[in-house]
Amino acid sequence: MLLMMVFLSLYQTVEHGFPHQPSALGYSPFLRLMAIGTRSGAIKLYGAPGVEFMGLHEENNTVMQIHFIPDQCQLVTLLDDNSLHLWSLKQHSGASELREEHRFTLKGVPEDYCNRRSCELVEALREHPKNPDQILIGYSRGLIVLWDLQNNKVTHHFLGSQQLENLYWQRDGSKFISCHYDGSYTQWPVSSDNRHPEPLENFVPYGPFPCKAISKIYWQTTKNGLPYIIFQGGMPRASYGDRHSISVVHGSQQIAFDFTSRVIDFFIIFSSEPTAEFDDPSAMVVLAEEELVVIDLKTAGWPAVHPPYLASLHCSAITCSHHVSNIPLKLWERIISAGSKQNIHYSSMVWQHEDGTVRFWDASGVCLHLLYKLSTVRVFLTDADPNDNMNPLGEDEWPPLRKVGTFDPYSDDPRLGIQKIYLCKYSGYLAVAGTAGQVLVMELNDEDAEHVVDHAEADLLQDQEGYRWKGHEKLKTRDGPVRFEAGFQPFVLVQCQPPAVVTSLALHSEWKLVAFGTSHGFGLFDHQQKRLVFVKCTLHPSDQLALEGPLSRVKSLKKSLRQSFRRIRRSRVSGRKRRGGSGNVQEANAKFDQDTLQEMELAPVQRKIEARSAEDSFTGFVRTLYFADTFLRDSSRHCPSLWAGTNGGTVYAFCLRVPPAERRMDEPVRAEQAKEIQLMHRAPVVGILVLDGRSNPLPEPLEVAHDLSKSPDMQGSHQLLVVSEEQFKVFTLPKVSSKLKLKLTALEGCRVRKVTVANFGSCKTDDYSENDLAVLTNLGDIQIISLPFLKLQIRYPCIRKEDVSGIASCVFTKYGQGFYLISPSEFERFSLSTKWLVEPRCVVDMPEVTSNNHVHKSGMENAVRKSRETQCSSSPLGTSVNNSRSDTHGDPIGILFQKFRKVFWCLQTSASPTCDEALLTSLFNKQFSCQEYT
């Protein structure tokens, strides 16, 4: 119990990545906070880097609109079930939290009133920038009226000839601009003299041919007199009907930014000071369906800038992930080419993608930062052009399109997909392996270089008769020298034959060896001498499925994961809308999840331990590879060794003879099979570990040489831990006799999916820590098992057992944290350790109330921001906050009622403003009285 209290607890800490299926965008220049709502009912707030808040509507319906209440730490959300929700940022336990305060469902209007929609639907509502008692109401047929809230009457009529889409006031309130369905926009004057003004100007920016609707528009004033006109849509329908564009026009400059996915919404960052005379826009923030794009409007050429968060992790489909803890400062600086940073716990996530790229992310804090992008495409001859998505602007093109964004879900060649990776943080060696059996070994180089990549083939079938590969061909390689940018540069390529997916990978940088495995066998390669050491075929004669390849009969995992995500989301949303009851939703999801399990050819969840036949499919599939310096032949001499575990419950052990450093290039590395272990029930082997004489796991290669770990105890007897899907078993070495075991699988059908050794430190003292096994099961549970006695310490439910994709994507860190995909674009981060936590803990302080409304108090430009990141406090980086509405402060219902009463009426009734005042008053009082909010 002491261990559990001091070391262990499960925390769901933060979500990394881009929100899945965003549906709404909001921005508060007062708070300097941006809000994003999703189709699953989530709402997320972002401020300075590290400032994040999250809320979830109980209804899980689509968030349609988000509106910040001016000068308050509050916002209102509108869902597609016609409900309004009031959220507040309030302090609790030293940090601000986003809480839902109230909700209200908008009801329909009387049936006899519905027939009065002579002007059709209300399309836009805009409050006068200088007078909150005046509001523009725009109707879909083109009529626009200026409504006086004080006197409940129309003061101006503006009659448009085209179907209205949206409105926008100019800063001084003397003009406004309307945009229309035919791709045009119109500027209108507002004066006290003329109650029925004519338009000043009408523009069709991409005419004269039929154009798409302009759905949103900004008119931003500047000091030099030339306004910025920014609008969404308006492109010619015939040629550009499928484009997702936002155009920026400033004098003679004009660019149509072409986004890689549908534009959800956008806003402009401009001067929010009430006394400022001009808007002076500085940036455009665009929320697309798959990424956030920021355009710098101050810099010549209007370049895109990288936002500090909301990274599009899934710009190409994620195929696997890898975590590296405690990266040495020297390697870190070489990767990011940055200055010295002291006293930081460097941690990196490495994600591999379907398009053959490897991306390195700084995962040491709340926000993920892209450190480095590596592409393996240059080594191969493919039709893929890495610059296809970033074509420069053509000077003579019209419309002047420029592609922006990084999202690209299509891979020209699925064989490029990266499946396994291994990074040695001490030597700078990197090994990546792909879908077509390619294994690349790379070395970090600080300068650009041009060299030939050496090739070697590893025939895992060893020319045995009766075997014929039916899958995809290997990738063709480039002849001659290839130019590589500074960073990780490949110097040797090992091509497995047949070119099946590489299923396991191990690198030993001290011995200069790399091991690789597929569904047909495994091999060992000496990357210093660039020579194949040996191959071992593990294919059973009856296993024909392994010869068909992942791109033929057997679906690749990444495709199954993507399909699972789509169907899960569709099932959740449609199920809730159709049924409305949680029980029915759970039944629908359960049925879908069972279909998903069958689709991925996984065994049922509920089953007993049963022996498997050697003729079962994929028994030769190599699940794990492991290097160890241990006692394999006798108890007096230890030697390098390679261990391999297969899907059929077989463990192979090879003795290796690695020449000393002075003869390393002259003598070959030799290997000889020494042991073969067959588990009784032939359960797949998912992990292999050797414990030294003190029952500690062997250190990583070069870890002792860098004084970061104690030398292993080579005096006492070593132990071998073999983890299968069904049990943990400890053997003594070198005799390989069974010592103890822990059966995991029982009638509940629990099976091991992922296992790693994690170091758990005490949150009370730095003097003590211990190594345990962190285990993820197919039920989504995480179990902590002690070493070497294999005692279950604690069990936590972490991932839903139906979430096959989340379980398959889970990655543990060396210090008890973990990541798993909760959508194709988001990783959920969790921690099992009470010592190491990365979570946003932020404070938004409200300044004192001033008597002078709309005047910001001096010295209140920044609020306090505290972020708890791996026991480190960040410096204050603020979000500007203020409170200038003392009359409604502390009464959220009053704020909601007073601020949005005009919106409620217009959205619900869509009525003509010429209706008589008595009817409007009675309707308003009936539908939106304060009592209905309680």
Side-chain angles (χ1 to χ4, degrees), residues 877-893:
L877 297 171
T879 52
S880 176
V881 295
N882 194 4
N883 176 25
S884 59
R885 301 212 174 185
S886 56
D887 54 337
T888 56
H889 182 62
D891 182 11
I893 294 180

Side-chain angles (χ1 to χ4, degrees), residues 19-39:
H20 184 57
Q21 294 182 332
S23 57
L25 177 68
Y27 175 65
S28 170
F30 169 71
L31 296 174
R32 299 179 191 173
L33 288 177
M34 175 179 67
I36 295 178
T38 71
R39 289 170 58 183

Side-chain angles (χ1 to χ4, degrees), residues 289-311:
E289 199 165 40
E290 303 292 350
E291 61 188 327
L292 184 77
V293 180
V294 180
I295 306 297
D296 183 359
L297 299 178
K298 286 290 189 182
T299 304
W302 302 333
V305 296
H306 294 291
Y309 38 64
L310 290 173

Side-chain angles (χ1 to χ4, degrees), residues 754-822:
K754 299 288 177 67
V755 61
T756 193
V757 177
N759 182 269
F760 294 98
S762 170
C763 61
K764 304 295 185 181
T765 177
D766 294 331
D767 299 334
Y768 182 79
S769 66
E770 65 178 52
N771 293 308
D772 294 299
L773 291 176
V775 180
L776 175 69
T777 73
N778 63 322
L779 302 180
D781 292 336
I782 292 180
Q783 302 183 13
I784 306 300
I785 298 175
S786 66
L787 287 175
F789 303 110
L790 300 184
K791 299 295 184 182
L792 177 62
Q793 299 289 334
I794 199 167
R795 175 187 298 178
Y796 297 109
C798 183
I799 310 174
R800 292 185 311 110
K801 66 181 181 181
E802 299 85 4
D803 189 359
V804 178
S805 53
I807 294 173
S809 63
C810 184
V811 175
F812 287 110
T813 76
K814 188 177 180 180
Y815 294 97
Q817 297 186 62
F819 303 80
Y820 66 92
L821 283 169
I822 56 174

Side-chain angles (χ1 to χ4, degrees), residues 158-361:
F158 309 86
L159 187 59
S161 59
Q162 296 294 332
Q163 180 175 324
L164 181 71
E165 291 290 319
N166 219 320
L167 300 169
Y168 187 79
W169 280 104
Q170 292 188 26
R171 189 179 188 92
D172 60 1
S174 64
K175 304 181 187 69
F176 70 89
I177 192 167
S178 62
C179 53
H180 303 275
Y181 182 78
D182 67 341
S184 66
Y185 62 86
T186 304
Q187 191 178 25
W188 302 85
V190 179
S191 66
S192 58
D193 300 333
N194 190 354
R195 304 291 180 174
H196 306 280
E198 294 295 323
L200 293 175
E201 294 178 288
N202 184 70
F203 300 91
V204 185
Y206 296 116
F209 300 105
C211 296
K212 294 175 65 177
I214 295 179
S215 57
K216 186 173 183 178
I217 193 165
Y218 281 84
W219 183 290
Q220 300 278 279
T221 57
T222 62
K223 294 178 181 178
N224 62 10
L226 295 175
Y228 277 84
I229 305 170
I230 304 169
F231 56 89
Q232 178 182 350
M235 300 291 285
R237 288 186 179 274
S239 303
Y240 302 93
D242 59 341
R243 301 298 181 100
H244 314 291
S245 68
I246 295 179
S247 298
V248 180
V249 182
H250 180 60
S252 60
Q253 304 176 66
Q254 182 168 348
I255 294 177
F257 293 98
D258 186 15
F259 297 88
T260 59
S261 57
R262 183 172 64 93
V263 173
I264 303 299
D265 202 354
F266 73 101
F267 62 85
I268 308 300
I269 297 177
F270 57 91
S271 176
S272 59
E273 290 297 325
T275 58
E277 186 177 355
F278 302 100
D279 295 309
D280 288 327
S282 58
M284 175 173 68
V285 180
V286 182
L287 177 66
E289 199 165 40
E290 303 292 350
E291 61 188 327
L292 184 77
V293 180
V294 180
I295 306 297
D296 183 359
L297 299 178
K298 286 290 189 182
T299 304
W302 302 333
V305 296
H306 294 291
Y309 38 64
L310 290 173
S312 181
L313 307 178
H314 66 312
C315 52
S316 178
I318 299 173
T319 51
C320 68
S321 49
H322 179 68
H323 186 272
V324 184
S325 301
N326 281 354
I327 298 178
L329 179 61
K330 183 176 292 187
L331 177 63
W332 184 275
E333 291 179 340
R334 292 182 68 189
I335 292 177
I336 64 175
S337 300
S340 177
K341 299 178 182 180
Q342 301 295 331
N343 300 321
I344 297 180
H345 176 78
Y346 295 108
S347 171
S348 176
M349 278 293 288
V350 184
W351 285 311
Q352 298 81 54
H353 299 269
E354 187 183 33
D355 62 357
T357 59
V358 181
R359 288 174 169 84
F360 295 74
W361 300 84

Side-chain angles (χ1 to χ4, degrees), residues 607 612 617-619 621 623-624 645-651 678-679 681-687 722-727 751-753:
R607 68 181 186 87
R612 309 182 188 191
S617 297
F618 295 105
T619 55
F621 183 113
R623 294 285 293 267
T624 184
T646 72
N647 215 44
T650 306
V651 177
Q678 180 61 60
L679 300 182
H681 295 99
R682 299 185 182 274
V685 178
V686 297
V722 177
V723 182
S724 73
E725 285 188 350
E726 299 175 346
Q727 66 180 2
R751 288 182 292 162
V752 176
R753 281 286 178 256

